[in-house]
Amino acid sequence: MTKATKLLTALPPPQRRHLMELAHEVSFPEDMHVFEAGGRADRFWVIRSGSVSLTQQVTSIQRVTVASLGAGDLLGWSWLFPPYQWDFGAEAFSPVRAYEFHAQPVLRLCEEEPALGLSLMRIVAEILAHRLETTRNKLMEQYAMRRTR
């Protein structure tokens, strides 16, 4: 399995400082739906404390948790790619504190500082590879459990 990459610790310190200039702190209470699949993706978060469940609606009544995110994890990547809609849902599993970043200022910063943009894209790609593997494994587990019933 691929290793989980933490966005802020993976960025070189000068690039991290520039990105953090765009951050503001937010908090989510336990059980809050941070976003729903299909909603407008115009921001992302780096979790400082607490945990968030990424969910996928499998049927009209069944929702599956495909990943659990905690301190240092990136929450949200759909702001990078058209059609800029969330692919999963996200729910606070506990009280959460996070850094929030709005997409447009981050994208402008990436254009102004191409090295930062390239670093950010590479790190997000690593995170996506890990999440894809995690999601695939979770869905395979769910499928195996249904077959053994």
Side-chain angles (χ1 to χ4, degrees), residues 78-99:
S78 299
W79 59 276
L80 277 169
F81 308 104
Y84 308 107
Q85 294 178 330
W86 300 118
D87 288 313
F88 297 96
E91 184 176 342
F93 187 71
S94 68
V96 172
R97 291 175 50 219
Y99 294 117

Side-chain angles (χ1 to χ4, degrees), residues 18-19 21-24 42-44 79 100-113 116 120:
H18 286 145
L19 182 63
E21 290 172 2
L22 301 176
H24 66 275
D42 62 356
R43 63 195 69 212
F44 67 97
W79 59 276
E100 182 176 75
F101 300 85
H102 290 270
Q104 289 306 314
V106 171
L107 292 170
R108 276 193 301 274
L109 178 63
C110 290
E111 288 177 10
E112 293 166 5
E113 297 187 31
L116 186 149
L120 188 63

